[in-house]
């Protein structure tokens, strides 16, 4: 997945443009910048790549999720349904707005189970956040149907699935709003950065203002601009945008490499009858950023991880005991260990997490192994890796 593996001359060239004029900020300083608007150019590229009308760059993927929700009016007391398997950023972004994260089970897609989503809807539910984990996606038709029926927003966190598609549409472009991260380990990197994409002009305008202190961005005198609404600072810098601009143009190259490496590994692993693969919804095509497979049980998955270590097979994870990606070890969340007071309705929901039954999620995450697909591997290395993986799995069964 990580675009940083192939950082090279294109990235250096875009960065040099910014260094040559010294305008590190994305707004203003029109005269000094010699026509270089890296953030604006990257936004245009994102619109083309993800086939949407609007893209708003921000400082991180976490900021993107928060800005997306805020731009559609999600805030204090609103419930946002999210999965048990994701990155901690999901609940952080929700809670930053005073909204309430409601965690629900995943299914064999490793993303939101539509049935669990429907069960969790209350009078306070405002949005459903599907997290397109590890290069693939949720059942978008089923989720969209639920959102339509209950008049809820559908927000897509596509941070880990840049380049995946569902029924011909890029992931991120399907829901009301889509979010990307361009942090250092994502398929496309800016170093740090993120983006909100949408076809809704009002949400876009809101995200543009909200991510820059409420600036309306009218005219060319920043100091004289008006502030129609309250905002914060989630701006990206020109330096970061410059790196992303070089990287986004290389996305087709990155995706082709991911697919090639993924396919070699998958074909070898398919020879083991006990190995099954995550379900990709009909009409979906993964980004191939990860290869995810299931073993018969948690015990075998743990043994396999141990055997991978012995064989030197790195960048694979069983997320069951992981601190950052799965609800089981999110004790700081369950104990509401906040530096500052949280609202009573957020605390009440977090307390429930200590006793909520997530055995369905345990069933899938416990048996799953998720392997990152690197861009820098040679074909030889991938083949050698495939053989080591098969050997380690066979020995663990
Ligand atoms: C990386 C990631 C984020 C957060 O992105 P940052 O840019 O690191 O803030 C959010 N959601 C998912 C699923 C991610 O993988």
């Amino acid at each position: 997945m990580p675009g940083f593996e192939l950082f090279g001359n294109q990235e250096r060239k875009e960065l040099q443009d910014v260094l040559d004029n010294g305008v590190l900020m994305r707004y203003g300083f029109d005269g000094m910048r010699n026509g270089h608007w890296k953030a604006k150019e990257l936004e245009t590229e994102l619109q083309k790549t993800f086939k949407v009308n609007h893209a708003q760059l921000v400082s991180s993927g976490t900021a993107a999720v928060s800005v997306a929700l805020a731009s559609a009016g999600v805030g204090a007391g609103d419930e946002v349904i999210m999965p048990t398997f994701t990155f901690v950023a999901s609940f952080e972004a929700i809670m930053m707005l005073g909204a309430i994260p409601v965690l629900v089970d995943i299914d064999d897609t490793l993303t939101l189970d539509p049935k669990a989503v429907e069960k969790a809807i209350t009078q306070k539910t405002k949005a459903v956040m599907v997290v397109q984990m590890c290069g693939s996606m949720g059942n978008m038709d089923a989720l969209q149907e639920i959102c339509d029926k209950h008049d809820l927003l559908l927000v897509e966190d596509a941070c880990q699935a840049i380049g995946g598609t569902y029924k011909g549409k890029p992931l991120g472009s399907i829901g009301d709003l889509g979010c990307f991260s361009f942090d250092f380990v994502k398929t496309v990197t800016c170093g740090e950065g993120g983006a909100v994409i949408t076809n809704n002009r009002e949400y876009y305008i809101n995200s543009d203002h909200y991510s820059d202190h409420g600036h309306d961005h009218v005219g060319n005198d920043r100091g004289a601009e008006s502030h129609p609404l309250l905002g914060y600072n989630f701006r990206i810098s020109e330096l970061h945008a410059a790196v992303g601009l070089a990287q986004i143009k290389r996305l087709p190259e990155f995706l082709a490499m991911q697919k090639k490496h993924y396919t070699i590994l998958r074909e070898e692993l398919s020879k083991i009858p006990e190995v099954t693969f995550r379900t990709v919804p009909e009409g979906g095509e993964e980004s191939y950023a990860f290869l995810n497979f299931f073993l018969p049980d948690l015990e075998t998955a743990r043994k396999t991880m141990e055997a991978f270590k012995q064989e030197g097979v790195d960048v694979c994870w069983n997320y069951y005991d992981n601190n950052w990606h799965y609800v089981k070890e999110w004790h700081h969340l369950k104990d509401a260990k906040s530096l500052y007071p949280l609202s009573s309705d957020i605390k009440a929901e977090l307390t429930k997490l200590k006793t909520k039954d997530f055995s369905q999620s345990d069933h899938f995450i416990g048996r799953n192994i998720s392997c990152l697909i690197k861009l820098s591997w040679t074909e030889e290395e991938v083949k050698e890796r495939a053989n080591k993986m098969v050997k380690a799995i066979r020995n663990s069964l």
Side-chain angles (χ1 to χ4, degrees), residues 49-65:
T49 304
F50 300 110
K51 301 186 180 126
V52 285
N53 294 338
H54 309 288
Q56 176 64 48
L57 279 169
V58 290
S59 51
S60 71
T62 313
V65 179

Side-chain angles (χ1 to χ4, degrees), residues 60-62 86-87 89 131 133 157 159-160 181-183 186 192-193:
S60 71
T62 313
T86 176
F87 181 50
V131 183
M133 278 302 273
D157 174 342
C159 293
Q160 293 197 7
S181 164
F182 306 126
D183 78 19
K186 297 305 200 281
E192 297 284 1

Side-chain angles (χ1 to χ4, degrees), residues 12-28:
R12 279 185 206 102
K13 189 204 152 290
E14 297 291 349
L15 276 168
Q16 195 60 50
D17 287 343
V18 181
L19 295 175
D20 285 345
N21 65 49
V23 180
L24 310 185
M25 188 183 185
R26 68 159 301 178
Y27 297 115

Side-chain angles (χ1 to χ4, degrees), residues 54 71 200-207:
H54 309 288
S71 74
N200 183 310
R201 186 165 166 79
E202 187 190 341
Y203 297 163
Y204 161 66
I205 298 286
N206 287 345
S207 65

Side-chain angles (χ1 to χ4, degrees), residues 5 12 26 165 169 192 230 248 268 328 349 385:
E5 295 179 274
R12 279 185 206 102
R26 68 159 301 178
T165 58
K169 287 187 183 170
E192 297 284 1
L230 294 168
I248 195 79
E268 281 309 307
K328 188 168 83 64
E349 187 62 33
R385 190 179 172 81

Side-chain angles (χ1 to χ4, degrees), residues 308-361:
F308 277 180
K309 228 174 266 164
Q310 301 297 324
E311 287 289 334
V313 175
D314 61 355
V315 295
C316 290
W317 299 273
N318 170 255
Y319 284 116
Y320 189 66
D321 297 313
N322 185 281
N323 285 340
W324 298 99
H325 293 283
Y326 188 53
V327 63
K328 188 168 83 64
E329 296 299 322
W330 291 343
H331 302 295
H332 64 324
L333 179 69
K334 297 179 206 180
D335 295 332
K337 284 199 175 152
S338 174
L339 286 174
Y340 48 84
L342 295 172
S343 70
S344 54
D345 48 5
I346 291 183
K347 278 196 283 192
E349 187 62 33
L350 298 186
T351 302
K352 283 190 211 161
L353 291 176
K354 290 187 184 183
T355 50
K356 242 185 182 177
D357 174 22
F358 290 125
S359 50
Q360 181 179 317
S361 300

